[in-house]
Amino acid sequence: MYRTPDCFSVAESSRRLPETPAATRLSAYEVCAGHAQRTELVASETGLFWLEEAPGEQGKVLKFRTETGEQGGLLEGHTLGSRINGYGGGSLAALDDRVVAVTDEQALVSVTLGQAGGRVLVPAAECAWGGLAADHARNRVLAVREADGVQQLVAVGDDGQWVCLHQGEDFYGAPVLSADGWQIAWISWQLPAMPWLSSRLWVGELDRAGRLRNLRCCRPPVEASVQQPLFRGDALWLLSDHDGWWQPWQIQSQGRELVWHRLPAPDLDHANAPWQLGECHHCALPDGRWARVRYHQGTGELWLIDAAGDETRVAREFSDFRSLCARHGRLCCVARSPDRLDAIIEVEPGTGEVRVLVGGEAPLPGRELALPETFVLPAQDGDDVPVQGFLYAPVEPVFTAPPLILVAHGGPTSAAYPVYNPQVQYWCQRGFAVAEVNYRGSSGFGRRFRLALAGGWGELDVQDMRRAAAYLVTQGRADERRLYIQGRSSGGYTALMTLVDDDCFRGGASIFGVTDPLNLKRMTHRFESGYLDWLLGDASLHAERWHARTPLHHAGRIRAPVIFFQGGLDRVVVPAQTRAMVASMTAAGHPPELHWFEDEGHGFRRRRNQANMLEWLYSFYRSTGLKANERAENLS
């Protein structure tokens, strides 16, 4: 389950797991094992295909649904998922008669309906694949391939032979083709930029043999992040934030020039930060209609826009939408909500009628769920967009302010969404409130809010987390004597920095969190190799800032108890980060608690490990304060 490295003296390392909760409570394993996730939906004439991590399983498998309603699994014995850029995306491409998928081992496999297994197109090797797209006209797939630190845009034939279409850019976004297969577009970006900071569009043509010609690079009018190009007929559309928000734009040719035309759209982000390849938040539908996702106060909304520009919001019972695609004139997508598991839904464009095709199950049958409440922090001077978050109250009625777990999301250029989270439910079933905060730097609130964290990491996010805790206390929604903070990855960094010289929190948790940005910069993967300089400034010019914002250098100033969780296979936040912090805190006389999962990477995938982590956290929070259901007057 876990291992504590021999070189550390770690407090509580030999303590037994806490007793099994009372029969009326869901166990940590029940909460984790009952979760199902559905992602990366693609469509073809044959049917719908997606990746699914079913309840009780670990690893994603390939599922399908035909037009007649037949459902099942493909590629039995294989778990799937791209590992490109460390975060994957674009693991599937659906051709007319087959599906091409990326396995966990980074092989390319082709499978047709009715096959028990599949046919290996490209064996696993020292490379990663992602961003797959179907080239129906040539019975092949396009993909982004990375090997030896170099990415290429390639085409892979049905015989497994691949050819390079383009190289020379540091990173490539998922390519798209026009319906007739003659036009192609993709996104690229160069180090040190991340794709949500600065990227550019490429537009070209393919000849009958599939060779690239007449290639043009199209930069937005000012530096911007562009993403998700798609063709409607010969017209090219994409999402760009050069006007302040990720909004829809049409690209038109005027001679050799490419001209940008903004489409009518509100000042809201119509996509989130592109950590993964292959995402799609907009989709062309018949009769000039469009489907688009908008993020408003952290919640995803699905809108249909007709040819006259009239708009209708649909699927209001869901709060986030991914992988939009059209099939037989209808919109299909993955839809998420706070009170059900991931669903694949179908929307009739003419009426807005929604039908759940797959999933959408009640996650905890017979149990009351904690549902998110939006809160907004009072604006400070200079705030263009107030900081927003989601509060989940304890399920059982409480007569006093409950203990609060404040959660800093990872990224940090990501966001918290109001969707079902089994770990949040675990805490709310045990008398805790949970607050997820979209601090400055989060995506979904416009470019200026997202880029506010440049040079301000470890300061602005920390301020916002402290403000959120104070606000919820003043509102009577949290007990100021029972405040905790936790985070994963960069959220672990924010949690640790929040605890420096702070007496408000009774404890904190770093889950594979960043502790030493400078050393991480030397060791992390290529995708994020320039990210830390953006977050903290050029290390050679801002050495004092880097030192001041490094938890490792301030281990002795963290007075609250801390618990760490780390995977031994983590290639993003490497294990040395946690080892060094634990050693430094121990040397300072404040030995933390450490739980080591040798078989886990960046994100714990095994249900038993997820459950054990929750149980250790629960025991830790109880040991650093009172039981969650004790009355306030009993506090000592």
Side-chain angles (χ1 to χ4, degrees), residues 256-429:
R256 287 293 299 173
E257 297 295 319
L258 293 172
V259 181
W260 297 67
H261 293 281
R262 177 177 167 176
L263 281 299
D267 285 343
L268 295 170
D269 274 339
H270 289 60
N272 49 34
W275 281 92
Q276 295 182 310
L277 301 185
E279 267 294 358
C280 190
H281 290 86
H282 62 154
C283 180
L285 299 170
D287 302 322
R289 291 187 171 93
W290 283 90
R292 297 191 179 108
V293 180
R294 299 172 184 166
Y295 288 94
H296 180 252
Q297 291 285 34
T299 296
E301 301 175 350
L302 183 60
W303 289 82
L304 299 180
I305 301 96
D306 66 18
D310 294 329
E311 302 179 335
T312 305
R313 185 182 172 189
V314 297
R316 290 173 176 263
E317 65 271 32
F318 297 96
S319 52
D320 197 15
F321 304 88
R322 307 292 175 98
S323 302
L324 273 62
C325 56
R327 184 165 180 268
H328 299 310
R330 298 184 292 273
L331 171 70
C332 296
C333 66
V334 176
R336 295 170 176 157
S337 77
D339 59 355
R340 62 179 81 181
L341 299 179
D342 294 351
I344 294 174
I345 64 171
E346 179 183 81
V347 182
E348 175 55 51
T351 64
E353 180 183 354
V354 177
R355 184 160 68 108
V356 175
L357 301 179
V358 178
E361 307 94 335
L364 303 174
R367 302 276 182 167
E368 183 181 353
L369 297 180
L371 299 179
E373 305 172 45
T374 294
F375 66 89
V376 179
L377 303 184
Q380 294 182 319
D381 292 341
D383 278 359
D384 290 327
V385 180
V387 171
Q388 176 271 341
F390 298 102
L391 175 68
Y392 298 79
V395 169
E396 295 295 329
V398 292
F399 302 100
T400 59
L404 173 71
I405 300 172
L406 202 64
V407 178
H409 65 71
T413 311
S414 185
Y417 302 100
V419 298
Y420 177 74
N421 182 334
Q423 299 193 11
V424 167
Q425 300 301 323
Y426 175 84
W427 297 119
C428 294
Q429 295 279 340

Side-chain angles (χ1 to χ4, degrees), residues 305-603:
I305 301 96
D306 66 18
D310 294 329
E311 302 179 335
T312 305
R313 185 182 172 189
V314 297
R316 290 173 176 263
E317 65 271 32
F318 297 96
S319 52
D320 197 15
F321 304 88
R322 307 292 175 98
S323 302
L324 273 62
C325 56
R327 184 165 180 268
H328 299 310
R330 298 184 292 273
L331 171 70
C332 296
C333 66
V334 176
R336 295 170 176 157
S337 77
D339 59 355
R340 62 179 81 181
L341 299 179
D342 294 351
I344 294 174
I345 64 171
E346 179 183 81
V347 182
E348 175 55 51
T351 64
E353 180 183 354
V354 177
R355 184 160 68 108
V356 175
L357 301 179
V358 178
E361 307 94 335
L364 303 174
R367 302 276 182 167
E368 183 181 353
L369 297 180
L371 299 179
E373 305 172 45
T374 294
F375 66 89
V376 179
L377 303 184
Q380 294 182 319
D381 292 341
D383 278 359
D384 290 327
V385 180
V387 171
Q388 176 271 341
F390 298 102
L391 175 68
Y392 298 79
V395 169
E396 295 295 329
V398 292
F399 302 100
T400 59
L404 173 71
I405 300 172
L406 202 64
V407 178
H409 65 71
T413 311
S414 185
Y417 302 100
V419 298
Y420 177 74
N421 182 334
Q423 299 193 11
V424 167
Q425 300 301 323
Y426 175 84
W427 297 119
C428 294
Q429 295 279 340
R430 281 160 175 73
F432 289 83
V434 177
E436 299 181 314
V437 183
N438 282 317
Y439 49 78
R440 279 170 288 180
S442 301
S443 61
F445 302 88
R447 180 177 176 88
R448 184 169 182 176
F449 188 85
R450 188 173 73 250
L451 301 193
L453 205 57
W457 192 41
E459 180 178 315
L460 300 185
D461 50 331
V462 168
Q463 292 174 7
D464 292 343
M465 297 303 287
R466 289 174 176 164
R467 285 175 57 206
Y471 173 76
L472 294 172
V473 167
T474 62
Q475 296 297 305
R477 307 305 299 273
D479 184 346
E480 65 179 342
R481 292 165 291 183
R482 293 183 290 173
L483 299 176
Y484 306 91
I485 186 169
Q486 69 180 51
R488 298 165 176 258
S489 191
S490 72
Y493 167 89
T494 298
L496 291 171
M497 287 300 300
T498 303
L499 292 173
V500 172
D501 294 333
D502 190 285
D503 294 321
C504 294
F505 294 91
R506 293 187 69 94
S510 171
I511 304 168
F512 41 87
V514 176
T515 69
D516 184 355
L518 189 59
N519 269 321
L520 183 63
K521 177 184 174 177
R522 300 182 182 118
M523 302 173 71
T524 194
H525 60 163
R526 192 174 71 100
F527 176 66
E528 295 185 67
S529 58
Y531 192 24
L532 289 163
D533 275 346
W534 182 83
L535 289 168
L536 291 171
D538 187 327
S540 64
L541 300 177
H542 302 282
E544 291 184 4
R545 180 190 298 169
W546 280 67
H547 187 276
R549 310 241 190 104
T550 294
L552 181 65
H553 297 327
H554 310 298
R557 294 162 56 189
I558 297 177
R559 294 180 289 273
V562 180
I563 186 170
F564 290 87
F565 297 87
Q566 179 65 50
L569 303 178
D570 197 333
R571 296 182 180 178
V572 178
V573 179
V574 294
Q577 292 280 302
T578 294
R579 289 193 184 103
M581 189 69 185
V582 169
S584 186
M585 291 186 70
T586 301
H590 305 292
E593 187 171 332
L594 169 64
H595 298 281
W596 194 272
F597 298 82
E598 194 61 53
D599 57 352
E600 293 285 8
H602 197 66

Side-chain angles (χ1 to χ4, degrees), residues 145-178:
R145 178 182 184 271
E146 181 169 28
D148 299 323
V150 175
Q151 288 196 358
Q152 301 167 299
L153 182 65
V154 305
V156 184
D158 188 40
D159 58 0
Q161 298 298 309
W162 62 271
V163 295
C164 177
L165 298 178
H166 195 268
Q167 60 184 351
E169 298 292 291
D170 286 337
F171 297 96
Y172 288 84
V176 293
L177 290 168
S178 58

